[in-house]
Amino acid sequence: MNIVFDFSELYNIENIISEGRMYMLNSISNLSTTEIEKHLNLIPISVLIFNRHHKLKHLNNVAQQALKKNPKFITPEKMDIFLDEVFRKASPITQLIEIEQSQYRYYYVPLKNDKSEVLEVIVYFDTNIPIQKDYEIYKEESEDLKALFESSYDVLYVSDNKGNTLRVSSACKYFWGETADNLIGRNVIDLEKQGVYTPSITRLVLEKGEKISAIQTTKKNRRLLVIGTPIKDDNGNIIRVVNASRDITEIELLQEEIEQMKSLVEDYQLEIAQLQQTINDERKNIYQGKTMEPYLDLAKRVAKVDATLLILGESGVGKEDFANYIHELSNRRDKPFIKINCGAIPESLLEYELFGYEKGAFPGATEGKIGLFEFANNGTVLLDEIAEIPYTLQVKLLRVLQEQEINRIGSTKPISINVRIIASTNKNLLEAVKVGQFREDLYYRLNVIPITLPPLRERKEDILPLANFFISQFNQKYGTNKHLSPQIATTLESYNWPGNVRELKNLIERLIVMSEKEEISHELLNLLPNSESKSEKVVQVHEIIPLKECIELAEKNLLKLASLKFRSTTEIAKALEVNQSTISRKISKLNIEIK
């Protein structure tokens, strides 16, 4: 039976050992205890080997010294669960253990036979590594410095106090005709003698002991402005010299690039301004009628404060878009806008999603997770379908509203948050309170500023602007150039729209996809529920009104549709079979614009 003892994988993953070679023991079943421990002692960190009964079988000298220093480095009550998991899953895991206010990372690696059966588990750790937080910060900063070093517009050149090259950024090949690998380890005086660069700014800094700025010529006939800076220790001794070199051979080109960058920035600013104006124009196009003006004015007022909002209205009326509009107008616009559909998340998971949980809060919770309230800190949370939130969670939500703090599942430590709450529903919350399905105190805490959005059938003046807006969206999405025929436009305005804006958007997408011609004709009216597809039934009357008013209304709608299709009063007059002067007079009277 062969047992493979391979450390290389985890060493490479964590980059813990920067010097020395990786060690591998093959067929250790054929080795004596003395031979095994001899090999283990070659490893410069603590190594422990446990069998299936969690009995310690082997440890190296480094581990023995660590345990003499502090026996708590082996804590079976904390290690048992991880040993069991490695035996069960047959894959490596790590554990972060805090011992006397210091943190250490433990690595558990399965030792398998040739049948992939786990026979033993090796555990290794290093008592000399920094605590995790400092290590991660160091690791992150090292990556940042490396990226900065390589992406700098200048060439950076670092030498020690003897003039030996330690590090140089990769752009050196362009300036001096030498790769970084060819320069590192060589002395600046030798490089100067070989004509790689003249003079050596590092040599001048070491000779004078101060910052030097000079012009340097390279063997590639380029002129560089080099600033050499000495780095000194606490005693004033130079320990490093850092040079920053800039190519001034092409200074005019650099100036031109700067001007181009300025121009590019100005173009971007103009483009952003135009995009913002387009967004504003689109919003105006969507809400052309006066019905929505009071609601938009109210949105602008409430956006300036953090009061809780309750947005009411039928399904599909646009409650989510309205909430997002308020968020974009608020001083939280640069922070998260998190939508939580209380009816779409299973009741058993909703609490974990909202509040998060700690490591070990439930079986399988090997890592903690922040909740959506924490994630949205300093931003806005939309609790959509608030009527669907389970009764048992309503008291916790009340605490969020009142105290602005939460507790993760499995923790008693409160976490302060700063979120603006907007709730929305198409249900009657007051009726839900009366039948005991919704807490009364939560209802009144949410109902600080209620806003009831009108359904689409009560703002028919917005139907065609909305339809044209969606047509533009889907034309761009599908690469088409389609538009509504006058007959189908009239039908859209007369339809009741029980699904509101959502239904209209879905219908427009179907019309775009199904229509074979650029003009979406009345033949596709069968896609509209409860509508007639025959053109002679396009004109519809739904209530009793004076005949004169009915005629005026029909005439107005007809002229509106004609103005969308034709580009002049002459074309409209020809299509409607009347005089051009009649069309001009009526369009002027009704204040209709020809598109």
Side-chain angles (χ1 to χ4, degrees):
M1 180 182 296
N2 293 328
I3 303 176
V4 178
F5 185 174
D6 188 352
F7 299 98
S8 59
E9 182 181 359
L10 283 188
Y11 278 88
N12 287 332
I13 292 174
E14 297 299 327
N15 294 319
I16 291 178
I17 299 180
S18 59
E19 297 181 358
R21 53 192 291 259
M22 301 304 166
Y23 296 93
M24 180 185 293
L25 299 179
N26 295 311
S27 303
I28 66 171
S29 60
N30 298 323
L31 300 177
S32 66
T33 300
T34 302
E35 290 174 320
I36 293 175
E37 292 181 352
K38 177 182 177 181
H39 284 283
L40 292 180
N41 287 333
L42 294 175
I43 301 174
I45 61 175
S46 298
V47 180
L48 314 168
I49 299 180
F50 293 88
N51 64 13
R52 280 192 167 275
H53 303 292
H54 301 184
K55 180 179 178 181
L56 179 62
K57 292 189 62 178
H58 303 285
L59 72 166
N60 65 356
N61 290 338
V62 180
Q64 291 179 17
Q65 294 299 321
L67 297 178
K68 287 180 181 180
K69 181 180 178 182
N70 190 344
K72 293 182 179 179
F73 281 122
I74 295 184
T75 53
E77 68 277 9
K78 295 182 180 179
M79 299 173 68
D80 284 349
I81 186 172
F82 291 92
L83 289 171
D84 285 337
E85 187 172 348
V86 176
F87 277 112
R88 185 176 66 257
K89 293 184 177 180
S91 59
I93 61 173
T94 63
Q95 176 192 18
L96 194 64
I97 294 180
E98 184 170 323
I99 300 175
E100 296 180 351
Q101 298 182 345
S102 294
Q103 292 181 321
Y104 303 92
R105 186 176 290 279
Y106 283 61
Y107 300 86
Y108 297 74
V109 185
L111 300 180
K112 307 175 185 179
N113 60 16
D114 50 8
K115 296 180 180 180
S116 296
E117 297 171 336
V118 180
L119 302 181
E120 295 175 336
V121 172
I122 180 170
V123 179
Y124 71 90
F125 58 92
D126 189 351
T127 60
N128 296 317
I129 64 173
I131 62 173
Q132 177 69 6
K133 180 179 179 182
D134 290 344
Y135 173 73
E136 292 297 338
I137 292 175
Y138 164 77
K139 182 178 178 182
E140 182 177 344
E141 289 179 349
S142 297
E143 292 297 328
D144 290 344
L145 289 174
K146 181 179 179 182
L148 179 63
F149 195 88
E150 289 300 331
S151 63
S152 172
Y153 187 78
D154 299 326
V155 171
L156 300 180
Y157 196 114
V158 183
S159 306
D160 63 14
N161 59 355
K162 302 296 183 183
N164 297 314
T165 306
L166 299 178
R167 183 181 292 274
V168 58
S169 47
S170 56
C172 61
K173 176 70 174 176
Y174 175 75
F175 283 167
W176 298 309
E178 299 280 351
T179 64
D181 290 338
N182 289 338
L183 293 174
I184 292 174
R186 296 166 67 182
N187 193 277
V188 296
I189 295 177
D190 294 334
L191 293 169
E192 184 179 20
K193 290 178 179 179
Q194 295 168 16
V196 175
Y197 41 66
T198 304
S200 166
I201 307 302
T202 299
R203 174 180 59 79
L204 296 178
V205 172
L206 292 174
E207 289 175 354
K208 296 185 179 182
E210 60 185 25
K211 186 175 182 179
I212 296 292
S213 176
I215 302 299
Q216 183 182 83
T217 304
T218 77
K219 70 176 182 180
K220 297 200 70 172
N221 295 320
R222 306 201 72 82
R223 290 172 60 80
L224 309 179
L225 173 61
V226 185
I227 299 176
T229 305
I231 308 299
K232 301 180 180 181
D233 60 18
D234 295 338
N235 297 321
N237 299 315
I238 296 178
I239 58 175
R240 294 285 189 275
V241 177
V242 178
N243 294 343
S245 305
R246 170 159 294 191
D247 188 357
I248 60 173
T249 310
E250 303 172 1
I251 191 67
E252 293 182 358
L253 178 60
L254 294 178
Q255 185 63 39
E256 182 180 342
E257 289 180 359
I258 292 173
E259 294 300 325
Q260 289 176 352
M261 290 176 65
K262 288 182 179 179
S263 176
L264 187 61
V265 170
E266 292 174 355
D267 290 342
Y268 282 147
Q269 291 175 338
L270 178 61
E271 186 175 343
I272 291 172
Q274 291 174 342
L275 180 61
Q276 185 62 49
Q277 183 61 44
T278 300
I279 293 173
N280 293 336
D281 291 342
E282 287 176 348
R283 194 171 300 281
K284 291 178 182 177
N285 287 337
I286 294 175
Y287 303 118
Q288 279 193 346
K290 294 184 178 180
T291 306
M292 286 298 295
E293 287 182 0
Y295 298 94
L296 298 179
D297 292 339
L298 179 58
K300 294 175 184 177
R301 293 199 302 272
V302 300
K304 298 176 183 179
V305 296
D306 283 341
T308 303
L309 301 180
L310 179 60
I311 303 177
L312 305 170
E314 297 178 4
S315 178
V317 80
K319 297 185 288 296
E320 180 183 344
D321 290 337
F322 195 76
N324 188 55
Y325 179 57
I326 293 173
H327 172 76
E328 291 298 327
L329 292 174
S330 73
N331 57 8
R332 298 173 182 262
R333 67 180 67 89
D334 297 326
K335 303 300 180 182
F337 174 74
I338 304 299
K339 176 197 171 185
I340 303 170
N341 191 319
C342 301
I345 304 175
E347 181 176 344
S348 58
L349 299 179
L350 184 58
E351 185 174 7
Y352 294 104
E353 291 295 324
L354 292 178
F355 302 102
Y357 53 83
E358 294 289 349
K359 178 180 178 181
F362 54 88
T366 56
E367 299 290 341
K369 177 184 176 182
I370 69 170
L372 292 174
F373 279 122
E374 273 189 86
F375 186 78
N377 194 33
N378 296 317
T380 304
V381 170
L382 170 62
L383 296 173
D384 195 18
E385 306 294 349
I386 187 64
E388 306 300 327
I389 192 168
Y391 197 87
T392 53
L393 285 185
Q394 292 179 22
V395 65
K396 289 194 173 185
L397 178 57
L398 183 63
R399 183 189 175 198
V400 175
L401 290 165
Q402 292 178 337
E403 308 295 337
Q404 285 282 292
E405 65 179 27
I406 63 158
N407 281 87
R408 291 185 186 175
I409 309 303
S411 172
T412 58
K413 181 181 178 181
I415 300 174
S416 296
I417 58 173
N418 176 18
V419 295
R420 201 247 177 99
I421 301 292
I422 301 178
S424 66
T425 182
N426 60 356
K427 302 290 181 62
N428 188 326
L429 284 186
L430 196 55
E431 289 297 324
V433 170
K434 292 178 180 179
V435 297
Q437 294 178 349
F438 203 84
R439 291 179 62 96
E440 184 177 17
D441 49 3
L442 178 58
Y443 168 73
Y444 287 113
R445 192 65 184 82
L446 291 171
N447 197 39
V448 178
I449 302 179
I451 302 175
T452 303
L453 298 181
L456 191 56
R457 62 182 174 275
E458 294 181 7
R459 49 186 181 103
K460 290 185 177 294
E461 68 273 17
D462 287 338
I463 292 175
L464 288 184
L466 274 168
N468 289 325
F469 174 70
F470 293 140
I471 287 173
S472 176
Q473 279 190 330
F474 291 121
N475 273 336
Q476 184 175 4
K477 178 179 179 179
Y478 295 116
T480 56
N481 187 30
K482 299 180 180 180
H483 60 275
L484 297 175
S485 68
Q487 297 92 337
I488 201 170
T490 301
T491 301
L492 294 183
E493 281 194 313
S494 62
Y495 181 59
N496 203 37
W497 299 110
N500 292 291
V501 179
R502 184 185 296 118
E503 182 184 5
L504 174 60
K505 182 177 181 180
N506 293 340
L507 174 69
I508 293 299
E509 183 171 16
R510 290 199 301 273
L511 292 173
I512 292 289
V513 172
M514 298 297 293
S515 177
E516 297 179 354
K517 301 177 181 178
E518 286 195 356
E519 182 176 80
I520 302 172
S521 67
H522 66 283
E523 296 173 355
L524 294 175
L525 286 179
N526 59 337
L527 297 179
L528 190 65
N530 304 320
S531 66
E532 299 290 343
S533 60
K534 297 181 180 179
S535 59
E536 63 268 17
K537 294 188 178 181
V538 168
V539 178
Q540 300 179 29
V541 179
H542 297 282
E543 57 183 286
I544 300 300
I545 59 175
L547 181 59
K548 182 180 179 181
E549 183 180 341
C550 181
I551 294 173
E552 290 176 350
L553 182 60
E555 188 177 73
K556 180 178 180 181
N557 288 337
L558 181 60
L559 290 173
K560 276 187 175 181
L561 292 175
S563 67
L564 293 174
K565 184 174 182 179
F566 302 106
R567 297 183 178 181
S568 67
T569 56
T570 302
E571 292 180 358
I572 295 174
K574 182 178 180 180
L576 301 185
E577 299 180 0
V578 294
N579 294 329
Q580 187 270 343
S581 59
T582 301
I583 296 299
S584 297
R585 184 179 68 257
K586 289 183 178 293
I587 284 182
S588 176
K589 178 182 178 181
L590 297 173
N591 196 25
I592 296 174
E593 294 184 4
I594 300 176
K595 303 296 183 183

